[in-house]
Amino acid sequence: MRSNLVISIIGIAFSAFFLYQSTILPIPQRNIIIGPEFWPIILTVAMLIVSVSLLIKTLLSAKKEPAAESSVEETALLNEEVAKEVEIDEPEIAYPNRMWMIILAVALYIALVGLVGFIITTVVFLFAASWILGLKKWISLTLTSVLSTAGLVLIFTFFLTLPLPRGVGIFRELSFLFY
């Protein structure tokens, strides 16, 4: 309970500070729909709401819980007895190599996105990452990769007016077909 109280207070202070910092960001001179302050404000308001709700929940649960009547020594003895009775097994990692394959895929994505361009690299990366994580239906893999990439291109190039890597050579020319 005490840790929730501390975390909620730190979260409120952190989000209030960065909410203020988000409101004083300079506004660019060009005509844009969403300014640079939009996402920081959205995220800090969400964090503020979650922190306040955690604080309220913690304070309400503190009023409902009766004070513990057993001493610290009795609790420690009880915990030792329970630990002796129950054998705790460490869960096995189901697919330990998947983590390394995802790290390799991310590293390849970072290395190739500047050369091949955002669209092709992202489609291939999302396809590979989805397959590594267990999605096996080819239609689902393809649709997920292509539609997610199309959504990202729409968001970044048209709504946020941010440039995406186009690649070099033939890949650069191909990217002009899309954005």
Side-chain angles (χ1 to χ4, degrees), residues 93-105 132-133:
I93 298 174
Y95 302 102
N97 292 332
R98 286 187 181 181
M99 178 186 71
W100 297 112
M101 292 179 358
I102 291 291
I103 290 172
L104 177 65
I132 290 169
L133 293 174

Side-chain angles (χ1 to χ4, degrees), residues 17-165:
F17 172 75
F18 281 103
L19 183 61
Y20 171 73
Q21 292 296 320
S22 299
T23 60
I24 61 173
L25 286 172
I27 298 173
Q29 298 298 326
R30 58 190 171 120
N31 188 11
I32 56 174
I33 298 171
I34 298 175
E37 76 283 351
F38 179 75
W39 288 113
I41 288 174
I42 294 294
L43 293 175
T44 53
V45 166
M47 185 175 173
L48 184 65
I49 291 169
V50 168
S51 298
V52 168
S53 65
L54 178 63
L55 179 66
I56 292 170
K57 181 180 174 185
T58 304
L59 292 176
L60 290 177
S61 68
K63 290 180 181 179
K64 291 181 181 177
E65 290 180 7
E69 299 192 16
S70 63
S71 68
V72 174
E73 293 173 2
E74 291 175 2
T75 306
L77 289 174
L78 181 63
N79 287 341
E80 286 178 19
E81 291 175 14
V82 170
K84 289 178 185 175
E85 292 176 10
V86 177
E87 186 178 313
I88 300 174
D89 291 329
E90 294 280 333
E92 287 186 32
I93 298 174
Y95 302 102
N97 292 332
R98 286 187 181 181
M99 178 186 71
W100 297 112
M101 292 179 358
I102 291 291
I103 290 172
L104 177 65
V106 169
L108 285 172
Y109 177 79
I110 292 169
L112 294 175
V113 74
L115 297 171
V116 180
F118 181 80
I119 293 176
I120 295 171
T121 311
T122 304
V123 168
V124 171
F125 170 73
L126 290 175
F127 188 91
S130 298
W131 182 76
I132 290 169
L133 293 174
L135 192 59
K136 299 297 180 196
K137 295 180 181 177
W138 292 99
I139 293 175
S140 297
L141 284 167
T142 306
L143 283 176
T144 301
S145 303
V146 171
L147 293 177
S148 297
T149 303
L152 289 171
V153 168
L154 283 173
I155 290 170
F156 283 101
T157 59
F158 297 111
F159 295 123
L160 299 176
T161 63
L162 294 173
L164 295 173

